[in-house]
Amino acid sequence: DTGVSQNPRHKITKRGQNVTFRCDPISEHNRLYWYRQTLGQGPEFLTYFQNEAQLEKSRLLSDRFSAERPKGSFSTLEIQRTEQGDSAMYLCASSLSEVYSGELFFGSGTQLSVL
Amino acid sequence: KQEVTQIPAALSVPEGENLVLNCSFTDSAIYNLQWFRQDPGKGLTSLLLIQSSQREQTSGRLNASLDKSSGRSTLYIAASQPGDSATYLCAVTGLWDKVIFGPGTSLSVIP
């Protein structure tokens, strides 16, 4: 297992287009998290999953954002009708939480630029 | 609502100096606290994880402490090196394993 994998690494799109990002977590990890990060800021929580169940979605997210984790494996994050303010690094992380809350492991991120 | 802050926002030190980074959180009901390193344009690399029942963790030149009751953690870096230059982020895991990050401390170690 090579860790958390995110695709694509970079995405350039025009305003108004839809984009989808994929995250493949570490295989045995039951928790999967999505964060958004802009330059000079810490990662901002977007949403997270326990297996296939979405536990919480940030109130900062508009209805243009949706995430899924079918079958509790990989996850996708879709942004519809992109806006320039959506430009950011989108980070995915996973952890194994059983008796103790587990260590969080991150992917390399997807850098989105909306023109 | 959990809020995490980090002080200082930026720090510049000469090589070889020992330094301390600070992290504060408002809700002490946490399961763990994790310190990460982030290089420009990259993802986050986990440095140390402290469970809520622990007081500190050590890895090489790094030592992290946790005082849950006062809502504080420190990351101590001994004998700093230019390769330590990066942004350091702390994150707390709270109820239902929701993980909230601080804004980070940007560290520059001058040769």
Side-chain angles (χ1 to χ4, degrees):
Chain A
D1 195 333
T2 56
V4 180
S5 176
Q6 290 188 248
N7 288 289
R9 289 295 309 277
H10 303 276
K11 179 70 177 180
I12 301 173
T13 191
K14 293 182 179 179
R15 188 177 55 187
Q17 298 293 306
N18 299 341
V19 294
T20 300
F21 309 141
R22 176 176 171 127
C23 172
D24 287 273
I26 294 172
S27 59
E28 67 270 21
H29 283 185
N30 53 358
R31 300 272 189 188
L32 187 147
Y33 300 77
W34 285 100
Y35 291 87
R36 176 172 63 190
Q37 188 178 30
T38 53
L39 199 62
Q41 304 295 316
E44 174 189 28
F45 171 82
L46 296 180
T47 189
Y48 72 133
F49 293 84
Q50 162 79 10
N51 297 317
E52 67 274 11
Q54 188 172 20
L55 298 182
E56 184 176 337
K57 180 179 174 180
S58 171
R59 284 173 289 179
L60 298 173
L61 282 188
S62 72
D63 291 340
R64 297 184 297 105
F65 288 74
S66 63
E68 294 181 342
R69 192 184 183 196
K71 302 178 183 178
S73 56
F74 71 93
S75 176
T76 58
L77 177 68
E78 181 182 16
I79 308 174
Q80 296 182 331
R81 304 181 303 281
T82 52
E83 302 172 357
Q84 288 185 326
D86 298 331
S87 296
M89 173 78 85
Y90 289 83
L91 296 164
C92 175
S94 69
S95 69
L96 177 63
S97 291
E98 295 176 327
V99 176
Y100 291 103
S101 297
E103 186 176 4
L104 208 59
F105 293 89
F106 276 83
S108 298
T110 295
Q111 182 67 53
L112 173 66
S113 297
V114 182
L115 305 177
Chain B
K1 177 188 173 186
Q2 179 73 270
E3 293 184 1
V4 182
T5 56
Q6 292 187 244
I7 295 173
L11 182 63
S12 182
V13 300
E15 181 178 1
E17 192 162 298
N18 303 326
L19 57 101
V20 174
L21 308 180
N22 297 288
C23 172
S24 297
F25 47 95
T26 55
D27 185 350
S28 61
I30 65 169
Y31 293 138
N32 66 43
L33 184 145
Q34 199 165 350
W35 281 93
F36 293 87
R37 169 189 172 132
Q38 186 175 32
D39 294 292
K42 307 288 187 181
L44 281 69
T45 300
S46 177
L47 297 173
L48 290 165
L49 170 71
I50 311 176
Q51 297 292 352
S52 61
S53 58
Q54 299 174 321
R55 298 285 291 184
E56 64 179 306
Q57 282 287 335
T58 298
S59 175
R61 294 182 294 108
L62 306 180
N63 176 275
S65 67
L66 174 63
D67 184 344
K68 207 172 71 161
S69 61
S70 67
R72 294 179 184 177
S73 175
T74 61
L75 178 66
Y76 175 83
I77 302 177
S80 57
Q81 303 171 358
D84 295 331
S85 298
T87 295
Y88 291 80
L89 298 137
C90 69
V92 295
T93 300
L95 189 63
W96 300 112
D97 283 351
K98 185 176 177 181
V99 182
I100 302 298
F101 279 82
T105 293
S106 176
L107 173 66
S108 178
V109 180
I110 311 301

mmCIF file of all heavy atoms in Angstrom, chain A residues 9 31 33 35 37 40-43 45 48 55-56 89 91 97 100-104 106-108, chain B residues 31-32 34 36 38 41-44 46 49 51 53 89 93 95-103:
data_model
loop_
_atom_site.group_PDB
_atom_site.id
_atom_site.type_symbol
_atom_site.label_atom_id
_atom_site.label_comp_id
_atom_site.label_asym_id
_atom_site.label_seq_id
_atom_site.Cartn_x
_atom_site.Cartn_y
_atom_site.Cartn_z
ATOM 1 N N ARG A 9 -3.576 15.623 -9.880
ATOM 2 C CA ARG A 9 -2.747 16.480 -9.048
ATOM 3 C C ARG A 9 -3.064 17.947 -9.279
ATOM 4 O O ARG A 9 -3.013 18.763 -8.364
ATOM 5 C CB ARG A 9 -1.269 16.228 -9.328
ATOM 6 C CG ARG A 9 -0.740 14.904 -8.823
ATOM 7 C CD ARG A 9 -0.770 14.819 -7.296
ATOM 8 N NE ARG A 9 -0.157 15.962 -6.652
ATOM 9 C CZ ARG A 9 1.147 16.115 -6.448
ATOM 10 N NH1 ARG A 9 1.981 15.188 -6.854
ATOM 11 N NH2 ARG A 9 1.616 17.193 -5.848
ATOM 12 N N ARG A 31 -12.116 5.803 8.125
ATOM 13 C CA ARG A 31 -12.461 7.224 8.082
ATOM 14 C C ARG A 31 -11.795 7.873 6.873
ATOM 15 O O ARG A 31 -10.636 7.612 6.572
ATOM 16 C CB ARG A 31 -11.972 7.940 9.330
ATOM 17 C CG ARG A 31 -12.533 7.410 10.626
ATOM 18 C CD ARG A 31 -13.831 8.085 10.969
ATOM 19 N NE ARG A 31 -14.272 7.728 12.326
ATOM 20 C CZ ARG A 31 -15.432 8.046 12.840
ATOM 21 N NH1 ARG A 31 -16.305 8.733 12.116
ATOM 22 N NH2 ARG A 31 -15.750 7.700 14.055
ATOM 23 N N TYR A 33 -11.533 11.873 5.029
ATOM 24 C CA TYR A 33 -11.788 13.298 5.237
ATOM 25 C C TYR A 33 -11.444 14.085 3.973
ATOM 26 O O TYR A 33 -10.474 13.759 3.278
ATOM 27 C CB TYR A 33 -10.908 13.855 6.362
ATOM 28 C CG TYR A 33 -11.087 13.213 7.719
ATOM 29 C CD1 TYR A 33 -10.535 11.962 8.004
ATOM 30 C CD2 TYR A 33 -11.784 13.864 8.725
ATOM 31 C CE1 TYR A 33 -10.683 11.388 9.253
ATOM 32 C CE2 TYR A 33 -11.940 13.297 9.980
ATOM 33 C CZ TYR A 33 -11.381 12.061 10.241
ATOM 34 O OH TYR A 33 -11.529 11.497 11.482
ATOM 35 N N TYR A 35 -10.599 18.176 2.909
ATOM 36 C CA TYR A 35 -10.291 19.522 3.386
ATOM 37 C C TYR A 35 -9.997 20.406 2.173
ATOM 38 O O TYR A 35 -9.602 19.934 1.108
ATOM 39 C CB TYR A 35 -9.058 19.517 4.299
ATOM 40 C CG TYR A 35 -9.276 18.850 5.628
ATOM 41 C CD1 TYR A 35 -9.097 17.481 5.773
ATOM 42 C CD2 TYR A 35 -9.662 19.590 6.739
ATOM 43 C CE1 TYR A 35 -9.298 16.866 6.997
ATOM 44 C CE2 TYR A 35 -9.863 18.982 7.972
ATOM 45 C CZ TYR A 35 -9.675 17.626 8.088
ATOM 46 O OH TYR A 35 -9.879 17.018 9.299
ATOM 47 N N GLN A 37 -7.719 23.951 1.259
ATOM 48 C CA GLN A 37 -6.676 24.808 1.805
ATOM 49 C C GLN A 37 -6.295 25.889 0.801
ATOM 50 O O GLN A 37 -6.023 25.592 -0.358
ATOM 51 C CB GLN A 37 -5.428 23.993 2.168
ATOM 52 C CG GLN A 37 -4.369 24.793 2.912
ATOM 53 C CD GLN A 37 -3.173 23.962 3.301
ATOM 54 O OE1 GLN A 37 -2.833 22.998 2.624
ATOM 55 N NE2 GLN A 37 -2.514 24.330 4.407
ATOM 56 N N GLY A 40 -1.452 30.083 2.696
ATOM 57 C CA GLY A 40 -1.218 30.715 3.986
ATOM 58 C C GLY A 40 -2.209 30.355 5.069
ATOM 59 O O GLY A 40 -2.118 30.873 6.186
ATOM 60 N N GLN A 41 -3.148 29.474 4.743
ATOM 61 C CA GLN A 41 -4.163 29.069 5.720
ATOM 62 C C GLN A 41 -4.019 27.590 6.071
ATOM 63 O O GLN A 41 -3.445 26.815 5.304
ATOM 64 C CB GLN A 41 -5.559 29.322 5.162
ATOM 65 C CG GLN A 41 -5.814 30.752 4.722
ATOM 66 C CD GLN A 41 -5.767 31.710 5.880
ATOM 67 O OE1 GLN A 41 -6.312 31.450 6.950
ATOM 68 N NE2 GLN A 41 -5.097 32.844 5.683
ATOM 69 N N GLY A 42 -4.573 27.217 7.224
ATOM 70 C CA GLY A 42 -4.640 25.804 7.556
ATOM 71 C C GLY A 42 -5.752 25.122 6.785
ATOM 72 O O GLY A 42 -6.631 25.788 6.230
ATOM 73 N N PRO A 43 -5.728 23.807 6.714
ATOM 74 C CA PRO A 43 -6.802 23.068 6.023
ATOM 75 C C PRO A 43 -8.156 23.341 6.671
ATOM 76 O O PRO A 43 -8.276 23.316 7.902
ATOM 77 C CB PRO A 43 -6.386 21.610 6.194
ATOM 78 C CG PRO A 43 -4.910 21.649 6.389
ATOM 79 C CD PRO A 43 -4.664 22.908 7.175
ATOM 80 N N PHE A 45 -12.032 22.172 7.131
ATOM 81 C CA PHE A 45 -12.838 20.956 7.067
ATOM 82 C C PHE A 45 -13.986 21.110 6.084
ATOM 83 O O PHE A 45 -14.715 22.099 6.107
ATOM 84 C CB PHE A 45 -13.377 20.644 8.463
ATOM 85 C CG PHE A 45 -14.392 19.550 8.505
ATOM 86 C CD1 PHE A 45 -13.984 18.214 8.515
ATOM 87 C CD2 PHE A 45 -15.747 19.815 8.533
ATOM 88 C CE1 PHE A 45 -14.916 17.195 8.548
ATOM 89 C CE2 PHE A 45 -16.688 18.801 8.576
ATOM 90 C CZ PHE A 45 -16.259 17.485 8.587
ATOM 91 N N TYR A 48 -16.607 14.443 6.051
ATOM 92 C CA TYR A 48 -15.910 13.204 6.310
ATOM 93 C C TYR A 48 -16.873 12.026 6.359
ATOM 94 O O TYR A 48 -18.102 12.208 6.471
ATOM 95 C CB TYR A 48 -15.040 13.295 7.561
ATOM 96 C CG TYR A 48 -15.704 13.320 8.922
ATOM 97 C CD1 TYR A 48 -15.227 12.504 9.954
ATOM 98 C CD2 TYR A 48 -16.765 14.163 9.221
ATOM 99 C CE1 TYR A 48 -15.777 12.540 11.224
ATOM 100 C CE2 TYR A 48 -17.313 14.210 10.479
ATOM 101 C CZ TYR A 48 -16.815 13.407 11.489
ATOM 102 O OH TYR A 48 -17.369 13.445 12.742
ATOM 103 N N LEU A 55 -20.719 11.606 7.574
ATOM 104 C CA LEU A 55 -21.056 11.983 8.937
ATOM 105 C C LEU A 55 -21.423 13.445 9.076
ATOM 106 O O LEU A 55 -22.287 13.803 9.868
ATOM 107 C CB LEU A 55 -19.902 11.638 9.879
ATOM 108 C CG LEU A 55 -19.534 10.161 9.976
ATOM 109 C CD1 LEU A 55 -18.408 9.960 10.975
ATOM 110 C CD2 LEU A 55 -20.737 9.316 10.362
ATOM 111 N N GLU A 56 -20.729 14.290 8.357
ATOM 112 C CA GLU A 56 -20.979 15.729 8.481
ATOM 113 C C GLU A 56 -20.476 16.441 7.241
ATOM 114 O O GLU A 56 -19.485 16.044 6.642
ATOM 115 C CB GLU A 56 -20.269 16.307 9.712
ATOM 116 C CG GLU A 56 -20.553 17.787 9.955
ATOM 117 C CD GLU A 56 -19.914 18.310 11.222
ATOM 118 O OE1 GLU A 56 -19.632 17.521 12.132
ATOM 119 O OE2 GLU A 56 -19.676 19.540 11.293
ATOM 120 N N MET A 89 -6.321 24.239 -2.874
ATOM 121 C CA MET A 89 -5.825 22.874 -2.826
ATOM 122 C C MET A 89 -6.873 22.052 -2.080
ATOM 123 O O MET A 89 -7.297 22.422 -0.980
ATOM 124 C CB MET A 89 -4.485 22.819 -2.077
ATOM 125 C CG MET A 89 -3.959 21.418 -1.827
ATOM 126 S SD MET A 89 -3.209 20.695 -3.282
ATOM 127 C CE MET A 89 -1.546 21.365 -3.135
ATOM 128 N N LEU A 91 -7.563 18.602 -0.257
ATOM 129 C CA LEU A 91 -6.796 17.546 0.400
ATOM 130 C C LEU A 91 -7.708 16.447 0.906
ATOM 131 O O LEU A 91 -8.779 16.722 1.438
ATOM 132 C CB LEU A 91 -6.013 18.131 1.587
ATOM 133 C CG LEU A 91 -4.935 19.151 1.257
ATOM 134 C CD1 LEU A 91 -4.538 19.925 2.508
ATOM 135 C CD2 LEU A 91 -3.718 18.465 0.669
ATOM 136 N N SER A 97 -9.947 4.262 12.773
ATOM 137 C CA SER A 97 -10.441 4.591 14.106
ATOM 138 C C SER A 97 -11.219 3.409 14.648
ATOM 139 O O SER A 97 -12.262 3.052 14.119
ATOM 140 C CB SER A 97 -11.325 5.843 14.051
ATOM 141 O OG SER A 97 -10.551 6.974 13.759
ATOM 142 N N TYR A 100 -9.053 3.489 19.552
ATOM 143 C CA TYR A 100 -8.505 4.842 19.631
ATOM 144 C C TYR A 100 -8.708 5.547 18.300
ATOM 145 O O TYR A 100 -8.714 4.908 17.254
ATOM 146 C CB TYR A 100 -7.002 4.806 19.956
ATOM 147 C CG TYR A 100 -6.691 4.340 21.342
ATOM 148 C CD1 TYR A 100 -6.229 3.057 21.574
ATOM 149 C CD2 TYR A 100 -6.860 5.191 22.427
ATOM 150 C CE1 TYR A 100 -5.937 2.626 22.845
ATOM 151 C CE2 TYR A 100 -6.566 4.760 23.712
ATOM 152 C CZ TYR A 100 -6.113 3.485 23.909
ATOM 153 O OH TYR A 100 -5.820 3.060 25.182
ATOM 154 N N SER A 101 -8.842 6.867 18.350
ATOM 155 C CA SER A 101 -8.878 7.641 17.114
ATOM 156 C C SER A 101 -7.500 7.580 16.483
ATOM 157 O O SER A 101 -6.494 7.851 17.128
ATOM 158 C CB SER A 101 -9.255 9.097 17.421
ATOM 159 O OG SER A 101 -10.537 9.160 17.967
ATOM 160 N N GLY A 102 -7.497 7.233 15.224
ATOM 161 C CA GLY A 102 -6.235 6.932 14.570
ATOM 162 C C GLY A 102 -5.507 8.125 14.008
ATOM 163 O O GLY A 102 -6.045 9.227 13.900
ATOM 164 N N GLU A 103 -4.271 7.874 13.623
ATOM 165 C CA GLU A 103 -3.425 8.875 13.001
ATOM 166 C C GLU A 103 -3.964 9.189 11.607
ATOM 167 O O GLU A 103 -4.379 8.303 10.874
ATOM 168 C CB GLU A 103 -2.000 8.343 12.918
ATOM 169 C CG GLU A 103 -0.971 9.322 12.413
ATOM 170 C CD GLU A 103 0.434 8.727 12.455
ATOM 171 O OE1 GLU A 103 0.550 7.532 12.807
ATOM 172 O OE2 GLU A 103 1.389 9.449 12.131
ATOM 173 N N LEU A 104 -3.918 10.470 11.258
ATOM 174 C CA LEU A 104 -4.437 10.933 9.981
ATOM 175 C C LEU A 104 -3.310 10.938 8.957
ATOM 176 O O LEU A 104 -2.228 11.463 9.226
ATOM 177 C CB LEU A 104 -4.988 12.348 10.174
ATOM 178 C CG LEU A 104 -6.109 12.846 9.285
ATOM 179 C CD1 LEU A 104 -7.332 11.961 9.421
ATOM 180 C CD2 LEU A 104 -6.465 14.274 9.650
ATOM 181 N N PHE A 106 -2.385 11.946 4.898
ATOM 182 C CA PHE A 106 -2.861 12.785 3.813
ATOM 183 C C PHE A 106 -2.315 12.350 2.467
ATOM 184 O O PHE A 106 -1.209 11.804 2.358
ATOM 185 C CB PHE A 106 -2.439 14.239 4.035
ATOM 186 C CG PHE A 106 -3.359 15.007 4.931
ATOM 187 C CD1 PHE A 106 -3.228 14.926 6.307
ATOM 188 C CD2 PHE A 106 -4.369 15.785 4.402
ATOM 189 C CE1 PHE A 106 -4.090 15.617 7.143
ATOM 190 C CE2 PHE A 106 -5.238 16.489 5.221
ATOM 191 C CZ PHE A 106 -5.099 16.402 6.596
ATOM 192 N N GLY A 107 -3.099 12.628 1.428
ATOM 193 C CA GLY A 107 -2.620 12.544 0.070
ATOM 194 C C GLY A 107 -1.889 13.826 -0.311
ATOM 195 O O GLY A 107 -1.775 14.757 0.499
ATOM 196 N N SER A 108 -1.416 13.881 -1.543
ATOM 197 C CA SER A 108 -0.649 15.037 -2.012
ATOM 198 C C SER A 108 -1.535 16.209 -2.423
ATOM 199 O O SER A 108 -1.024 17.298 -2.662
ATOM 200 C CB SER A 108 0.243 14.630 -3.184
ATOM 201 O OG SER A 108 1.171 13.650 -2.777
ATOM 202 N N TYR B 31 -9.905 13.592 21.531
ATOM 203 C CA TYR B 31 -9.392 12.228 21.572
ATOM 204 C C TYR B 31 -7.882 12.196 21.354
ATOM 205 O O TYR B 31 -7.178 11.369 21.914
ATOM 206 C CB TYR B 31 -10.082 11.373 20.509
ATOM 207 C CG TYR B 31 -11.545 11.154 20.766
ATOM 208 C CD1 TYR B 31 -12.467 11.218 19.722
ATOM 209 C CD2 TYR B 31 -12.022 10.885 22.035
ATOM 210 C CE1 TYR B 31 -13.815 11.017 19.954
ATOM 211 C CE2 TYR B 31 -13.368 10.690 22.274
ATOM 212 C CZ TYR B 31 -14.257 10.756 21.230
ATOM 213 O OH TYR B 31 -15.588 10.571 21.458
ATOM 214 N N ASN B 32 -7.401 13.069 20.474
ATOM 215 C CA ASN B 32 -5.963 13.158 20.268
ATOM 216 C C ASN B 32 -5.593 14.495 19.647
ATOM 217 O O ASN B 32 -6.463 15.272 19.246
ATOM 218 C CB ASN B 32 -5.444 11.978 19.423
ATOM 219 C CG ASN B 32 -5.958 11.985 17.994
ATOM 220 O OD1 ASN B 32 -6.011 13.019 17.338
ATOM 221 N ND2 ASN B 32 -6.308 10.820 17.479
ATOM 222 N N GLN B 34 -2.550 16.013 16.864
ATOM 223 C CA GLN B 34 -1.531 15.582 15.921
ATOM 224 C C GLN B 34 -0.789 16.811 15.397
ATOM 225 O O GLN B 34 -1.403 17.842 15.109
ATOM 226 C CB GLN B 34 -2.198 14.811 14.768
ATOM 227 C CG GLN B 34 -1.282 13.948 13.968
ATOM 228 C CD GLN B 34 -2.058 12.951 13.094
ATOM 229 O OE1 GLN B 34 -3.264 12.759 13.208
ATOM 230 N NE2 GLN B 34 -1.346 12.297 12.208
ATOM 231 N N PHE B 36 1.668 18.168 12.266
ATOM 232 C CA PHE B 36 2.011 17.886 10.882
ATOM 233 C C PHE B 36 3.040 18.896 10.386
ATOM 234 O O PHE B 36 3.126 20.022 10.880
ATOM 235 C CB PHE B 36 0.778 18.012 9.974
ATOM 236 C CG PHE B 36 -0.285 16.993 10.207
ATOM 237 C CD1 PHE B 36 -1.273 17.200 11.154
ATOM 238 C CD2 PHE B 36 -0.320 15.831 9.452
ATOM 239 C CE1 PHE B 36 -2.269 16.277 11.361
ATOM 240 C CE2 PHE B 36 -1.321 14.886 9.647
ATOM 241 C CZ PHE B 36 -2.296 15.119 10.601
ATOM 242 N N GLN B 38 4.169 20.677 6.598
ATOM 243 C CA GLN B 38 3.762 20.855 5.210
ATOM 244 C C GLN B 38 4.805 21.692 4.479
ATOM 245 O O GLN B 38 5.102 22.814 4.875
ATOM 246 C CB GLN B 38 2.389 21.533 5.114
ATOM 247 C CG GLN B 38 1.860 21.605 3.698
ATOM 248 C CD GLN B 38 0.455 22.153 3.613
ATOM 249 O OE1 GLN B 38 0.055 22.988 4.412
ATOM 250 N NE2 GLN B 38 -0.325 21.687 2.652
ATOM 251 N N GLY B 41 3.284 23.750 -1.449
ATOM 252 C CA GLY B 41 2.633 23.054 -2.548
ATOM 253 C C GLY B 41 2.463 21.558 -2.347
ATOM 254 O O GLY B 41 2.092 20.852 -3.287
ATOM 255 N N LYS B 42 2.729 21.069 -1.165
ATOM 256 C CA LYS B 42 2.661 19.627 -0.896
ATOM 257 C C LYS B 42 1.548 19.300 0.089
ATOM 258 O O LYS B 42 0.952 20.175 0.703
ATOM 259 C CB LYS B 42 4.004 19.137 -0.316
ATOM 260 C CG LYS B 42 5.214 19.502 -1.140
ATOM 261 C CD LYS B 42 5.300 18.706 -2.415
ATOM 262 C CE LYS B 42 6.609 18.961 -3.140
ATOM 263 N NZ LYS B 42 6.696 18.199 -4.407
ATOM 264 N N GLY B 43 1.302 17.995 0.247
ATOM 265 C CA GLY B 43 0.373 17.541 1.261
ATOM 266 C C GLY B 43 1.009 17.597 2.645
ATOM 267 O O GLY B 43 2.120 18.093 2.813
ATOM 268 N N LEU B 44 0.292 17.094 3.642
ATOM 269 C CA LEU B 44 0.751 17.146 5.019
ATOM 270 C C LEU B 44 1.409 15.829 5.421
ATOM 271 O O LEU B 44 0.903 14.753 5.078
ATOM 272 C CB LEU B 44 -0.425 17.410 5.958
ATOM 273 C CG LEU B 44 -0.926 18.845 6.065
ATOM 274 C CD1 LEU B 44 -1.598 19.312 4.781
ATOM 275 C CD2 LEU B 44 -1.866 18.993 7.239
ATOM 276 N N SER B 46 2.571 13.599 8.701
ATOM 277 C CA SER B 46 2.378 13.455 10.136
ATOM 278 C C SER B 46 3.726 13.378 10.851
ATOM 279 O O SER B 46 4.630 12.660 10.427
ATOM 280 C CB SER B 46 1.577 12.185 10.426
ATOM 281 O OG SER B 46 1.448 11.997 11.819
ATOM 282 N N LEU B 49 1.695 12.029 17.027
ATOM 283 C CA LEU B 49 0.302 11.886 17.458
ATOM 284 C C LEU B 49 0.310 11.682 18.963
ATOM 285 O O LEU B 49 1.017 10.795 19.457
ATOM 286 C CB LEU B 49 -0.349 10.699 16.773
ATOM 287 C CG LEU B 49 -1.717 10.264 17.278
ATOM 288 C CD1 LEU B 49 -2.777 11.289 16.900
ATOM 289 C CD2 LEU B 49 -2.098 8.893 16.736
ATOM 290 N N GLN B 51 -2.236 10.818 22.050
ATOM 291 C CA GLN B 51 -3.577 10.452 22.480
ATOM 292 C C GLN B 51 -3.946 11.279 23.716
ATOM 293 O O GLN B 51 -3.071 11.764 24.433
ATOM 294 C CB GLN B 51 -3.652 8.956 22.794
ATOM 295 C CG GLN B 51 -3.385 8.035 21.611
ATOM 296 C CD GLN B 51 -4.458 8.074 20.546
ATOM 297 O OE1 GLN B 51 -5.523 8.682 20.718
ATOM 298 N NE2 GLN B 51 -4.194 7.442 19.408
ATOM 299 N N SER B 53 -4.885 10.548 26.558
ATOM 300 C CA SER B 53 -4.411 10.016 27.832
ATOM 301 C C SER B 53 -2.910 10.213 28.033
ATOM 302 O O SER B 53 -2.382 9.922 29.108
ATOM 303 C CB SER B 53 -4.731 8.528 27.928
ATOM 304 O OG SER B 53 -4.137 7.840 26.845
ATOM 305 N N LEU B 89 1.648 22.451 11.412
ATOM 306 C CA LEU B 89 0.224 22.549 11.719
ATOM 307 C C LEU B 89 -0.136 21.586 12.841
ATOM 308 O O LEU B 89 0.362 20.454 12.874
ATOM 309 C CB LEU B 89 -0.620 22.202 10.492
ATOM 310 C CG LEU B 89 -0.436 23.120 9.289
ATOM 311 C CD1 LEU B 89 -0.352 22.336 8.005
ATOM 312 C CD2 LEU B 89 -1.591 24.110 9.214
ATOM 313 N N THR B 93 -8.544 16.072 17.276
ATOM 314 C CA THR B 93 -9.636 15.158 16.948
ATOM 315 C C THR B 93 -10.632 15.196 18.093
ATOM 316 O O THR B 93 -10.291 14.889 19.234
ATOM 317 C CB THR B 93 -9.112 13.732 16.755
ATOM 318 O OG1 THR B 93 -8.162 13.726 15.694
ATOM 319 C CG2 THR B 93 -10.244 12.785 16.420
ATOM 320 N N LEU B 95 -15.170 15.012 19.072
ATOM 321 C CA LEU B 95 -16.305 14.099 19.037
ATOM 322 C C LEU B 95 -16.550 13.580 17.623
ATOM 323 O O LEU B 95 -16.480 14.337 16.656
ATOM 324 C CB LEU B 95 -17.539 14.837 19.548
ATOM 325 C CG LEU B 95 -18.794 14.009 19.798
ATOM 326 C CD1 LEU B 95 -18.545 12.988 20.901
ATOM 327 C CD2 LEU B 95 -19.962 14.917 20.152
ATOM 328 N N TRP B 96 -16.850 12.276 17.534
ATOM 329 C CA TRP B 96 -17.093 11.617 16.248
ATOM 330 C C TRP B 96 -15.894 11.707 15.311
ATOM 331 O O TRP B 96 -16.048 11.605 14.105
ATOM 332 C CB TRP B 96 -18.336 12.185 15.562
ATOM 333 C CG TRP B 96 -19.582 12.023 16.373
ATOM 334 C CD1 TRP B 96 -20.316 13.009 16.952
ATOM 335 C CD2 TRP B 96 -20.232 10.806 16.738
ATOM 336 N NE1 TRP B 96 -21.377 12.482 17.643
ATOM 337 C CE2 TRP B 96 -21.356 11.126 17.529
ATOM 338 C CE3 TRP B 96 -19.962 9.458 16.480
ATOM 339 C CZ2 TRP B 96 -22.206 10.170 18.051
ATOM 340 C CZ3 TRP B 96 -20.824 8.492 16.995
ATOM 341 C CH2 TRP B 96 -21.928 8.853 17.768
ATOM 342 N N ASP B 97 -14.731 11.870 15.878
ATOM 343 C CA ASP B 97 -13.473 11.895 15.110
ATOM 344 C C ASP B 97 -13.392 13.025 14.100
ATOM 345 O O ASP B 97 -12.703 12.917 13.086
ATOM 346 C CB ASP B 97 -13.255 10.561 14.384
ATOM 347 C CG ASP B 97 -12.770 9.480 15.329
ATOM 348 O OD1 ASP B 97 -12.447 9.811 16.485
ATOM 349 O OD2 ASP B 97 -12.726 8.312 14.927
ATOM 350 N N LYS B 98 -14.092 14.125 14.357
ATOM 351 C CA LYS B 98 -13.932 15.290 13.496
ATOM 352 C C LYS B 98 -12.598 15.953 13.809
ATOM 353 O O LYS B 98 -12.271 16.197 14.964
ATOM 354 C CB LYS B 98 -15.075 16.279 13.728
ATOM 355 C CG LYS B 98 -15.063 17.465 12.789
ATOM 356 C CD LYS B 98 -16.284 18.332 13.016
ATOM 357 C CE LYS B 98 -16.254 19.559 12.124
ATOM 358 N NZ LYS B 98 -17.445 20.420 12.358
ATOM 359 N N VAL B 99 -11.803 16.233 12.769
ATOM 360 C CA VAL B 99 -10.451 16.761 12.954
ATOM 361 C C VAL B 99 -10.415 18.216 12.485
ATOM 362 O O VAL B 99 -10.725 18.506 11.322
ATOM 363 C CB VAL B 99 -9.421 15.927 12.171
ATOM 364 C CG1 VAL B 99 -8.017 16.469 12.417
ATOM 365 C CG2 VAL B 99 -9.503 14.459 12.578
ATOM 366 N N ILE B 100 -9.994 19.113 13.393
ATOM 367 C CA ILE B 100 -9.928 20.541 13.100
ATOM 368 C C ILE B 100 -8.481 21.012 13.195
ATOM 369 O O ILE B 100 -7.775 20.669 14.162
ATOM 370 C CB ILE B 100 -10.795 21.350 14.080
ATOM 371 C CG1 ILE B 100 -12.252 20.882 14.013
ATOM 372 C CG2 ILE B 100 -10.707 22.847 13.784
ATOM 373 C CD1 ILE B 100 -12.905 21.067 12.654
ATOM 374 N N PHE B 101 -8.075 21.813 12.207
ATOM 375 C CA PHE B 101 -6.699 22.278 12.115
ATOM 376 C C PHE B 101 -6.544 23.720 12.595
ATOM 377 O O PHE B 101 -7.466 24.535 12.501
ATOM 378 C CB PHE B 101 -6.224 22.217 10.660
ATOM 379 C CG PHE B 101 -5.799 20.852 10.233
ATOM 380 C CD1 PHE B 101 -6.732 19.915 9.836
ATOM 381 C CD2 PHE B 101 -4.461 20.509 10.228
ATOM 382 C CE1 PHE B 101 -6.344 18.640 9.444
ATOM 383 C CE2 PHE B 101 -4.059 19.251 9.827
ATOM 384 C CZ PHE B 101 -5.001 18.314 9.439
ATOM 385 N N GLY B 102 -5.330 24.016 13.050
ATOM 386 C CA GLY B 102 -4.937 25.393 13.280
ATOM 387 C C GLY B 102 -4.417 26.007 11.990
ATOM 388 O O GLY B 102 -4.273 25.307 10.979
ATOM 389 N N PRO B 103 -4.110 27.319 12.010
ATOM 390 C CA PRO B 103 -3.674 27.999 10.784
ATOM 391 C C PRO B 103 -2.219 27.745 10.423
ATOM 392 O O PRO B 103 -1.797 28.056 9.311
ATOM 393 C CB PRO B 103 -3.882 29.475 11.129
ATOM 394 C CG PRO B 103 -3.760 29.523 12.607
ATOM 395 C CD PRO B 103 -4.317 28.231 13.122
#
